[in-house]
Amino acid sequence: MNRASPLLAIGLLAACSGRQSPLAPAGDQAETLHQLFLLALAVCGIVYLVVVAALVWSLMRRGRDEDRDGAMRGLNRGLWATGIGIVLGVTILIVGSFLADRALFATRGEDALEVRITGHQWWWRIEYRVGGTARWIETANELHLPRGRTTRVLLGSADVIHSFWVPNVAGKIDMIPGRRNVLDLTPRQSGWFRGQCGEYCGMQHAHMAFDVKVEEPAQFEAWLARQSRMARPVGDSRGMHGQAVFARTCSACHAVRGTTASGRAGPDLTHVGARRSIAAGTITMSRGALQGWIAQPQALKPGTSMPAIPLAPADADAVAHYLAGLR
Ligand code: HEC
Ligand SMILES: [Cu+2]
């Protein structure tokens, strides 16, 4: 055995917990799936141990003299035991998965928060419904959820098939063009988690992730109220300059509510400065990262639908300053 193997094993095991793992459930749906997983693991583990034990036992008896009748009786008993074992194991798995399915799709009252999420190559459009009205608040690439309350996510796609997956909170479900799939999320633990597209959707599939923040209901409401506001007016001359450059070069694809920019081809940037990462979880948010992304989107995420737009250094600096201030 080489020396790296134990290290590798530790690394692999360590990867089994954390902010993007179905083995560390932090929501009702993930908890149900985790229990089903443990049940399947137990049943299959027992079957495995019994089969190996039977194999060892028969190998040890090989070549021993025994009368034919005794051997036939033993074989018969073995076949009966196997049959009963299979029926029992399969029954346990069927009942377990039936109950898990019922738990996942149990309706959870009328007060569910409604969120519409649309998959795009390679980012997420996220819209919150304003309680019972036809108004939606748009944001992108960062999902906030109130702890202890069910959020009903309505999933769609603008182009190819994607799959919505926040492993710590719930199972995954496909986002299919022309169809609305529904998934309930009931998070129980607050904190940051990570979501990831779960269906290969093109070159930057691996960079189609998003941050998930589960927070106390009051905090969540405050966040949503901030998101619903128009962009903060720019306070300084560099910001004004940035806003003007933005309106000229970026507004065909991006919206900043409260300004003339109203493009819909890319993420809504009204409060982009308050996000935790840029370009669907690809790079950590900072003023410098914003500037880097604007200068070189094709280098950071080759194939992305955002073109590299050559800007004079002073213009690039002003745009990054402007966006970082949109909080
Ligand atoms: C042709 C359309 C298009 C133009 C023009 C465009 N963008 Fe984008 N932009 C996109 C798309 C699409 C994305 C999502 C890319 C991804 O994550 O794969 C994006 C992502 C971004 C993001 C990251 C948003 C997030 O939520 O992570 C920022 C910031 C951004 N663009 C700024 C700009 C600025 C500044 C300009 C003008 C200099 C600009 N964009 C011009 C299409 C465009
Ligand atoms: Cu994908």
Side-chain angles (χ1 to χ4, degrees):
M1 194 162 82
N2 75 43
R3 234 188 284 165
S5 334
L7 283 178
L8 183 69
I10 291 169
L12 287 175
L13 284 175
C16 290
S17 67
R19 63 193 193 106
Q20 187 186 322
S21 169
L23 299 181
D28 288 356
Q29 294 77 12
E31 185 62 53
T32 300
L33 291 169
H34 188 233
Q35 279 166 7
L36 183 61
F37 166 72
L38 291 180
L39 182 72
L41 189 67
V43 169
C44 297
I46 290 169
V47 169
Y48 173 76
L49 290 179
V50 168
V51 169
V52 170
L55 183 68
V56 170
W57 184 74
S58 41
L59 280 177
M60 277 168 26
R61 289 172 56 94
R62 205 162 46 142
R64 253 195 239 173
D65 275 344
E66 205 171 3
D67 64 302
R68 258 188 96 75
D69 281 357
M72 281 316 280
R73 270 200 305 279
L75 191 61
N76 233 329
R77 276 203 298 273
L79 283 175
W80 270 105
T82 309
I84 292 171
I86 289 174
V87 170
L88 204 68
V90 170
T91 306
I92 292 175
L93 289 180
I94 289 175
V95 171
S97 71
F98 174 77
L99 292 177
D101 229 38
R102 297 230 343 174
L104 287 179
F105 293 101
T107 40
R108 253 168 270 266
E110 265 72 61
D111 77 324
L113 174 75
E114 268 182 290
V115 182
R116 195 156 64 190
I117 304 187
T118 312
H120 291 256
Q121 282 174 318
W122 292 280
W123 58 281
W124 314 80
R125 188 189 300 280
I126 302 177
E127 295 158 288
Y128 287 83
R129 186 180 199 136
V130 181
T133 69
R135 218 185 118 221
W136 297 79
I137 298 166
E138 182 166 341
T139 175
N141 297 333
E142 188 172 302
L143 181 67
H144 285 235
L145 299 170
R147 191 176 69 83
R149 179 174 167 197
T150 296
T151 297
R152 178 152 290 181
V153 189
L154 314 168
L155 299 158
S157 168
D159 36 50
V160 300
I161 298 178
H162 302 277
S163 178
F164 178 87
W165 194 29
V166 189
N168 294 75
V169 182
K172 65 160 97 79
I173 191 162
D174 276 359
M175 309 169 90
I176 299 168
R179 222 192 114 87
R180 257 217 191 288
N181 277 342
V182 177
L183 186 69
D184 284 343
L185 309 174
T186 315
R188 294 289 172 198
Q189 255 175 53
S190 47
W192 284 98
F193 300 100
R194 190 172 185 272
Q196 164 71 43
C197 178
E199 174 82 37
Y200 181 71
C201 58
M203 199 144 95
Q204 289 299 329
H205 161 67
H207 285 150
M208 183 169 167
F210 56 105
D211 295 302
V212 180
K213 181 163 201 205
V214 177
E215 52 199 350
E216 296 307 315
Q219 256 179 305
F220 169 79
E221 290 301 335
W223 173 84
L224 192 60
R226 281 199 300 282
Q227 292 293 311
S228 72
R229 286 190 207 127
M230 301 282 144
R232 197 162 74 175
V234 186
D236 57 347
S237 65
R238 196 147 54 120
M240 304 267 246
H241 178 57
Q243 184 171 9
V245 175
F246 188 88
R248 217 165 47 232
T249 24
C250 322
S251 62
C253 294
H254 292 290
V256 175
R257 280 176 277 125
T259 74
T260 53
S262 58
R264 307 241 330 135
D268 183 298
L269 300 181
T270 309
H271 300 287
V272 68
R275 292 212 253 283
R276 206 184 190 212
S277 61
I278 303 172
T282 306
I283 34 179
T284 308
M285 171 64 73
S286 73
R287 222 214 72 140
L290 271 171
Q291 195 159 339
W293 167 254
I294 295 162
Q296 297 273 335
Q298 297 297 330
L300 289 163
K301 212 167 159 176
T304 173
S305 325
M306 174 154 157
I309 298 163
L311 292 174
D315 289 352
D317 178 64
V319 171
H321 175 75
Y322 166 61
L323 291 181
L326 295 177
R327 300 187 61 84

